[in-house]
Each structure stands twice: as C-alpha cells, then as structure tokens.
Amino acid sequence: SYHHIGLQLSQLQESLKRLNTSYVDLLLVEQPPSNQPDACNHAKSFERKNVCHQGLEALYGLGLAKAIGICNWSVGEMERVRAIASVPIHVAQVECHIYRPQLELIAYCEKHKIIVISDGFIGSPAIPIPFLHKVIDFFDYPNMFAEPVVVEIADKHKKTPAQVLLHYLLDRYIGVIYNSLSPDRMNENLDVSKSLLIHEDITRLNAIPYR
C-alpha cells in the first residue's frame, strides 16, 4: 500500500513477523494510491510508481523478497519503470481471460522475460466485500461458461468450459490464481496437467469481443 521505502520496509517486516518467516517468495505492488501519508503522496502517478519500484528493489536487495513484481500496471507504466530499474520486474499480475486477453501486455512481458499471472480467469461475476459483509453480484456480467466458442471447444476436446478457460491461460504460459469451495471444482481445476488447445482454438478465443 505504501511507496516510501521506510514504510514499505516496516510494513513488510510486520507481515514477515505475522507469517513467522524471514522472507517472502514474491512481493507485488498494487497501483500505488496517492492518499497514503508518506513523503510521496503528492507525486505524479508515474513518479509514484518509480519510487515504489525502487522500494521493492531495496527490499529485494535485503533478501526480504526472492522476487518482486507489479499488479495491474499498463505496458507504458512497466516500460517507464524498466528504463530506470536496477532490478527488473519479475512478475506481472493482471486480470486476464477471454474478455480481456491482454495480448499487448503479454507480448511485452514475453519480450522482457516477465512472468504473467492471471488473478481472474473467469472474470468477476460476484465480488465479496469483506467490510460490508456481503457479495456484490453483477447479474448482467457475461457468463464465460456459456460463451458459444468456449462451449464448442469444450465439446470438441471433451472438457468442461471451466477447463477450456484455464487452458486458455496455461497453454499460453500464463500462471493462474484460482480458488473454489467445491471439491468437485477443485478436482476439475487440477485436471489440466497437459496442453489442450491448438493454435486455432486460441486464435478463436482471442477473437471474442472485449466485454
């Protein structure tokens, strides 16, 4: 949440203490907000990101994080940081699925050897809001499981639509963060050990209109 190195360090140290560990495998920074009470809170957006990444570099240099990365940054934002970085961005986490294929961003990351992780392979049809103790259900959010191209490809390969959506990312070498409370869905998600989609399938999925 913080972009000033002093506050980043104290917050990470507190997190490490709670986790009972001396380092984390990966430390990501979200879009740095401008309303934090630190020395950089009035800086321009790209300056905040530069300062924020320099803080990550310092934490990486101290051995408190084995890898560093960003979350929900654009190609332009990553490029500006890359131009001044002494430690490269290792990981980029973004929302990526058939309605947001992130083709430009993924091509950029491949070029610069940045690992891409998707945090929403089925989008966000229902979002829990912990402090409101309720779930916001976007009833008009398109259902990816019913997308005709997805259903057709699933039938062709004798897989479920959810497995096709997972393969759409995994077969493009994109890591996926997913969770479920259903044991059946957990097993379904784990049954994706081998590549499934052919080039034609991925091309068709890439062509689904942005929503």
Side-chain angles (χ1 to χ4, degrees):
S1 297
Y2 298 100
H3 14 111
H4 189 277
I5 177 56
L7 291 174
Q8 284 182 337
L9 177 59
S10 63
Q11 290 295 306
L12 179 56
Q13 288 174 328
E14 178 61 28
S15 295
L16 294 176
K17 182 178 179 180
R18 292 199 303 268
L19 292 169
N20 192 29
T21 184
S22 60
Y23 68 91
V24 291
D25 293 315
L26 174 62
L27 182 63
L28 299 178
V29 59
E30 176 64 90
Q31 287 277 5
S34 60
N35 60 351
Q36 296 297 332
D38 63 65
C40 303
N41 70 341
H42 295 302
K44 294 179 181 179
S45 177
F46 73 90
E47 292 172 342
R48 291 202 307 272
K49 291 179 174 64
N50 287 349
V51 172
C52 197
H53 186 76
Q54 288 168 350
L56 292 185
E57 291 177 332
L59 299 176
Y60 176 81
L62 291 171
L64 301 179
K66 299 300 181 183
I68 57 176
I70 55 83
C71 182
N72 296 325
W73 288 22
S74 69
V75 169
E77 290 164 339
M78 286 193 288
E79 179 60 22
R80 282 193 292 268
V81 166
R82 192 187 70 83
I84 57 95
S86 59
V87 179
I89 296 171
H90 299 137
V91 174
Q93 180 179 318
V94 294
E95 181 178 349
C96 183
H97 45 69
I98 58 171
Y99 297 146
R100 290 188 180 180
Q102 304 282 11
L103 301 181
E104 179 188 5
L105 184 143
I106 290 168
Y108 175 86
C109 289
E110 288 178 349
K111 177 180 178 180
H112 296 290
K113 297 180 172 56
I114 301 171
I115 295 171
V116 180
I117 297 176
S118 168
D119 59 4
F121 80 100
I122 60 171
S124 305
I127 300 178
I129 311 295
F131 61 88
L132 293 179
H133 305 290
K134 66 179 181 179
V135 172
I136 304 300
D137 187 6
F138 295 96
F139 60 88
D140 59 346
Y141 194 91
N143 183 357
M144 295 186 192
F145 298 143
E147 188 69 40
V149 174
V150 173
V151 173
E152 183 180 331
I153 292 174
D155 290 343
K156 179 177 71 174
H157 294 290
K158 295 181 172 52
K159 294 290 183 179
T160 65
Q163 288 172 324
V164 169
L165 295 173
L166 268 174
H167 273 288
Y168 175 63
L169 301 176
L170 296 176
D171 291 1
R172 295 159 65 206
Y173 304 103
I174 299 169
V176 180
I177 299 174
Y178 55 83
N179 57 66
S180 175
L181 298 177
S182 165
D184 289 340
R185 288 182 179 174
M186 292 179 191
N187 290 329
E188 179 182 323
N189 289 340
L190 290 172
D191 186 24
V192 289
S193 58
K194 297 179 180 180
S195 295
L196 174 73
L197 305 180
I198 60 175
H199 178 73
E200 178 188 356
D201 296 331
I202 293 178
T203 299
R204 294 183 66 197
L205 292 169
N206 283 341
I208 293 175
Y210 177 93
R211 300 190 187 182

